[in-house]
């Protein structure tokens, strides 16, 4: 039996007021999409938009409650709010993906933005009475993973950052790839006056090292400073012309020296590039999805795989609360939901998805289970933005095996392949036999079992529900 | 006989104090270099730096008083002051120009900067006693002419700017080149709600028109907005996605309409791009040189030539004083010397240089003679940053003619060519016969008469003296 105490009434009134304010005002969500090592963020953003735009025409999003409950009333592309941010080229990308000869779109290495308006009927009883239709403005911001991986530099001094980089270079593949740069460094007069040409030469050697690490055959992700490999208009500016240095000797840092100048440039990089990204963009994001290509990381072996782990930990560090975290002092990031998604789940057989998710969860679990996070809900998931294969179960030499049927990358016709199995834990050192993993890439062709007019996917609807579901109640 | 009145003494004392303050402080000059239609600004900046760096080793700069008077003590490249501005790649460009197989350097379409320190002995008697050596820091800022030609937009509303653009399109070659864009425009629902895709399509048509005007075969200069053809990192942003519109009809500007959005984007372009360039760079320049390729403008015929005139007038407008000039209200530009230089003087015979200068003076004279300039000293000059030919006088069919000997562009060996004559006034309409002008380009090879180790030039020293001489007294 209810008690209509004054407290209860006040409390109820407050709740209703909140709901009313919430509903009569249009809402905006800024969803940030980024990825590590060619994880397919352009394809993810493109298909996500496409599914939302066509959700009323019967696209297949059973886990996305607003569609399941028939409350979605339509979505369309709107003019974006920021005049000086490139527009995400949805129409160009979707034409590439769904054309008569589908191809993977060629993405740009920069931040871009698009705004959708999603009209829906709210689910609450009162809500319906107050406002039969509400609009959610969804701003999707697609940006390079390199920018996200720069954020931890904000809390590191030049010396601390240098030390961290040198430590990473003690292990392969960085040990070999950095040899030429470290050799040049050994001959550098660090306490002598800074010369423009010397700075440029050594910085070019360091940039070449980063580019070698980033090359698809190696596929490392944790590469700082991120803008060195995607400089854009700042190519050749002093703040992109430095490199980490070994610790100073007894001389310390001589005024006017090469070493001092390197430190100044590092600080300029932090100030002009990282802080600008942080203040202008990152601090305004509401939701973040980080995509990663777990299959290619496994293909590339223990070096690339452990580097991806380092990158994931560095990303999570941005959300950790603590007095040493510069970010939390600068600004409180607004992100309250963070999704790590392993893409290209369709490149393995359906019975491997479970292991794919378990493996990803293990990678993220250790840092994310820490209690000191800033109230961020973290989730992991395996998905495919655009399913290009189908799983075929066949008997093979007396065993039932799950094959994948699709058009392997670079070929013209379908093949039936056995991509192998995904381990559910991070393999131990001795388990990384040569070629243990050899997952294939596929062309973006519709698989033969796909029904309906909409591009098939795997669990894209679950990602949507996690990222947006609560905003569409 | 001198009268040592108290007034005279005070005055003399004041003068000496000024000189003392001036001399004990190091000086900085920011010299801006820009150009219209492939005028060779990268070559100009590169050779200017090279001549300064090697002036002590005997480079040939007779009109540059600080070297003539043996007061120059050396110059070197320093670290530049601005961390977030790309460095002018002097060493790369000079290698291209003076390599064993010299080539014209490939410039970048962006602003870049380099700092030189020039040590010299001051010329005054007292100066010598106070400070036997002074350093002038010379910051050279190389930027696209397109940015300079954007400045007049600051004082124009969207409607006024649109009207100006449509007026330009009434004449060839713009009339034909703009036909496709204007055709698309005619079908545009300007009073209907703005759609992202419509905006993008029509803006692409307008950008294609600008690019067609800019193409070397047409060679127009007065193309606004300048960033449409060199967008850099902002490619695809809304502020680069608009175009001029015909005047509104009786409806006026409907709220939320395509027309209103175009106007907003125009204003964003002014605010984010032009004002930023103005405040960050232009307002800090001390000296400006504008290079132009008079020969190619003549080659291209009356359309391109008159367009260059329009561009020059628009540039001069930035220095004109008046209540309607937004620039002077925003900020007082600091530039006190402005040099217009016709480059590539070595592509014609020496006896044509006089006409080249007269023609240029006429182009600039009309607006520049106006008394209402902000105390800017304006000069015109013909020069060659890197002389690649020599003039050979020969009797030809009974007449003495001046030929030019050099390696024509794209060829391997020297030829003797008769480039023809430059008119000393702007040709009248009937004088523009087909192919009246046909000046050739040449490869950057040292001509056979060039003496000494330094790259030969024509009147580069006069340009240096005008731009820097007073700062090196």
């Amino acid at each position: 039996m209810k008690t209509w105490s004054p407290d209860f009434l006040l409390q109820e009134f407050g709740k209703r007021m909140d709901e009313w304010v919430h509903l009569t005002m249009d809402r905006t969500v800024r969803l940030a999409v980024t990825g590590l090592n060619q994880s397919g963020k352009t394809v993810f953003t493109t298909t996500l938009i496409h599914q939302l735009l066509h959700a009323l025409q019967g696209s297949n999003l059973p886990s996305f409650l607003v569609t399941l409950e028939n409350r979605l009333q339509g979505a369309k592309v709107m003019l974006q709010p920021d005049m000086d941010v490139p527009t995400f080229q949805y129409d160009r990308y979707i034409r590439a993906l769904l054309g008569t000869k589908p191809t993977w779109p060629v993405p740009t290495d920069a931040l871009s933005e698009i705004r959708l308006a999603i009209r829906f009927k709210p689910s609450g009883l009162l809500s319906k009475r107050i406002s039969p239709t509400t609009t959610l403005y969804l701003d999707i911001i697609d940006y390079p993973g390199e920018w996200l991986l720069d954020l931890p530099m904000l809390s590191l001094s030049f010396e601390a950052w240098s030390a961290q980089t040198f430590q990473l270079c003690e292990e392969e593949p960085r040990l070999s790839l950095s040899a030429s740069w470290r050799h040049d460094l050994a001959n550098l007069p660090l306490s002598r006056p800074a010369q423009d040409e010397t700075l440029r030469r050594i910085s070019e050697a360091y940039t070449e090292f980063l580019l070698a690490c980033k090359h698809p055959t190696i596929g490392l992700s944790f590469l700082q400073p991120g803008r060195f490999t995607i400089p854009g208009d700042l190519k050749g500016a002093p703040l992109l012309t430095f490199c980490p240095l070994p610790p100073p000797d007894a001389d310390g840092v001589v005024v006017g020296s090469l070493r001092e100048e390197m430190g100044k440039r590092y600080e300029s990089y932090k100030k002009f590039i990282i802080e600008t990204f942080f203040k202008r963009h990152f601090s305004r994001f509401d939701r973040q999805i980080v995509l990663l290509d777990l299959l290619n990381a496994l293909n590339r072996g223990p070096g690339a795989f452990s580097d991806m782990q380092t990158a994931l930990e560095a990303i999570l560090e941005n959300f950790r609360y603590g007095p040493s975290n510069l970010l939390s002092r600068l600004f409180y990031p607004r992100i309250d939901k963070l999704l790590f998604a392993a893409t290209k789940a369709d490149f393995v057989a359906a019975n491997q998805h479970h292991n794919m998710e378990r493996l990803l969860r293990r990678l993220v679990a250790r840092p994310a289970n820490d209690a000191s996070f800033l109230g961020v809900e973290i989730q992991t998931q395996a998905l495919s933005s655009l399913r290009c294969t189908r799983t075929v179960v066949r008997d093979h030499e007396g065993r039932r095996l799950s094959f994948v049927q699709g058009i392997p990358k670079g070929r013209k016709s379908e093949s039936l392949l056995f991509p192998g199995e995904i381990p559910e834990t991070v393999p131990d050192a001795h388990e990384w036999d040569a070629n243990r993993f050899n997952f294939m890439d596929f062309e973006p062709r519709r698989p033969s079992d796909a029904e309906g007019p909409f591009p098939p996917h795997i669990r894209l609807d679950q990602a949507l529900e996690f990222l947006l579901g609560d905003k569409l109640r």
Side-chain angles (χ1 to χ4, degrees), chain A:
Chain A
M1 202 185 138
K2 276 187 180 155
T3 50
W4 296 83
S5 72
D7 272 359
F8 172 81
L9 285 174
L10 262 175
Q11 198 185 339
E12 280 298 292
F13 178 75
K15 269 202 242 164
R16 294 287 186 274
M17 277 300 288
D18 280 357
E19 197 181 3
W20 187 81
V21 167
H22 188 54
L23 287 166
T24 51
M25 277 169 50
D26 284 333
R27 312 166 205 185
T28 304
V29 172
R30 289 180 75 80
L31 167 64
V33 179
T34 196
L36 303 183
N37 46 13
Q38 263 121 55
S39 51
K41 72 183 166 56
T42 304
V43 178
F44 172 82
T45 306
T46 304
T47 53
L48 182 147
I49 294 168
H50 192 75
Q51 299 282 358
L52 283 174
L53 293 182
H54 297 89
L56 278 190
Q57 295 155 43
S59 63
N60 186 24
L61 302 168
S63 295
F64 192 36
L65 291 183
V66 73
T67 59
L68 186 75
E69 295 166 357
N70 283 320
R71 292 187 292 104
L72 194 69
Q73 299 195 299
K76 65 175 190 165
V77 176
M78 304 294 285
L79 299 182
Q80 71 188 55
D82 302 300
M83 285 283 185
D84 57 342
V85 171
T87 304
F88 182 83
Q89 307 262 315
Y90 159 70
D91 46 352
R92 178 172 303 174
Y93 297 139
I94 199 74
R95 271 198 302 274
L97 279 177
L98 303 184
T100 43
K101 285 187 180 172
T103 51
W104 295 115
V106 180
T108 55
D109 259 347
L111 185 141
S112 64
E113 171 179 90
I114 192 167
R115 166 169 281 191
L116 301 185
I118 305 173
R119 285 172 66 81
F120 68 100
K121 286 186 246 178
S123 54
L125 265 180
L126 178 69
S127 315
K128 279 186 199 155
R129 235 172 306 147
I130 293 172
S131 160
T133 304
T134 303
T135 304
L136 177 74
Y137 291 104
L138 172 64
D139 293 338
I140 306 178
I141 301 97
D142 171 296
Y143 71 95
E146 286 84 349
W147 297 20
L148 183 58
L149 286 168
D150 269 354
L151 288 178
M153 291 170 73
L154 279 180
S155 58
L156 294 177
S157 69
F158 179 57
E159 287 187 15
W161 175 71
S162 292
Q164 185 193 68
T165 310
F166 279 100
Q167 201 186 333
L168 286 169
C169 287
E170 284 170 15
E171 307 226 347
E172 292 295 359
R174 281 183 172 84
L175 183 65
S176 313
L177 295 174
S178 64
S180 168
W181 160 63
R182 284 182 295 113
H183 175 265
D184 292 354
L185 210 48
N187 300 315
L188 222 59
L190 295 175
S191 297
R192 301 288 304 280
Q195 301 285 339
D196 188 63
E197 213 181 318
T198 319
L199 281 156
R200 195 131 39 87
R201 266 209 323 274
I202 193 71
S203 153
E204 275 167 16
Y206 181 70
T207 307
E208 272 162 36
F209 155 61
L210 293 181
L211 287 169
C213 294
K214 194 178 176 175
H215 190 275
T217 53
I218 306 290
L220 301 191
S221 324
F222 190 57
L223 302 172
Q224 294 171 330
R227 296 292 170 96
F228 276 40
T229 58
I230 40 173
D233 286 348
L234 286 169
K235 191 172 169 67
L239 53 69
L240 294 185
T241 311
F242 65 93
C243 75
L245 294 182
D249 55 19
D251 289 5
V253 181
V254 178
V255 174
S257 66
L258 193 63
R259 181 184 292 281
E260 191 198 42
E261 182 66 21
M262 290 277 197
K264 275 188 198 165
R265 291 177 176 205
Y266 173 81
E267 293 302 329
S268 294
Y269 183 88
K270 282 164 62 175
K271 181 167 165 247
F272 287 104
I273 297 196
I274 313 180
E275 281 187 24
T276 300
F277 167 63
F278 187 81
K279 287 183 190 162
R280 173 81 206 274
H281 298 290
F282 193 76
S283 67
R284 295 164 61 212
F285 295 156
D286 299 297
R287 306 280 155 98
Q288 171 76 60
I289 179 165
V290 178
L291 303 167
L292 33 103
D293 183 350
L294 214 50
L295 302 176
N296 258 314
L298 286 168
N299 282 350
R300 286 168 187 143
F305 199 82
S306 102
D307 185 72
M308 185 154 95
Q309 249 179 307
T310 311
L312 289 174
E313 282 170 21
I315 290 169
L316 283 161
E317 200 56 42
N318 298 318
F319 298 94
R320 193 188 291 274
Y321 179 77
S324 71
N325 192 324
L326 184 62
L327 290 187
S328 52
R329 273 183 277 142
L330 269 176
F331 247 92
Y332 183 93
R334 204 161 83 175
I335 292 168
D336 59 358
K337 285 188 171 209
L338 173 59
L339 177 59
F340 290 96
T343 52
K344 309 183 184 178
D346 58 327
F347 293 4
V348 291
N351 66 355
Q352 296 302 311
H353 295 168
H354 182 68
N355 278 8
M356 201 169 174
E357 294 203 341
R358 282 184 78 118
L359 179 59
L360 176 62
R361 197 149 45 228
R362 273 171 199 272
L363 288 177
V364 176
R366 189 157 47 95
N369 279 340
D370 198 312
S372 61
F373 278 90
L374 289 165
V376 184
E377 191 180 341
I378 297 172
Q379 190 161 307
T380 52
Q381 196 193 311
L383 61 79
S384 166
S385 314
L386 183 73
R387 182 163 68 85
C388 312
T389 69
R390 66 188 184 102
T391 298
V392 177
V393 182
R394 286 273 168 84
D395 287 322
H396 181 78
E397 299 176 0
R399 289 165 62 202
R400 282 188 75 76
L401 291 180
S402 286
F403 291 83
V404 155
Q405 181 166 338
I407 304 176
K409 202 172 171 181
R411 298 214 213 133
K412 298 274 176 202
S413 59
E414 286 205 334
S415 300
L416 200 62
L417 295 166
F418 181 66
E421 296 190 347
I422 296 179
E424 63 176 88
T425 58
V426 179
D428 288 334
H430 68 274
E431 291 174 303
W432 288 99
D433 306 334
N435 301 323
R436 167 160 177 197
F437 302 107
N438 189 19
F439 301 105
M440 299 283 287
D441 275 1
F442 289 85
E443 295 289 347
R445 305 289 160 82
R446 209 177 165 78
S448 50
D449 68 330
E451 287 168 10
F454 295 98
H457 63 86
I458 297 171
R459 286 196 275 282
L460 186 62
D461 52 339
Q462 286 183 17
L464 272 168
E465 183 60 25
F466 174 73
L467 294 167
L468 303 176
D470 60 327
K471 301 285 183 182
L472 296 164
R473 294 282 138 74

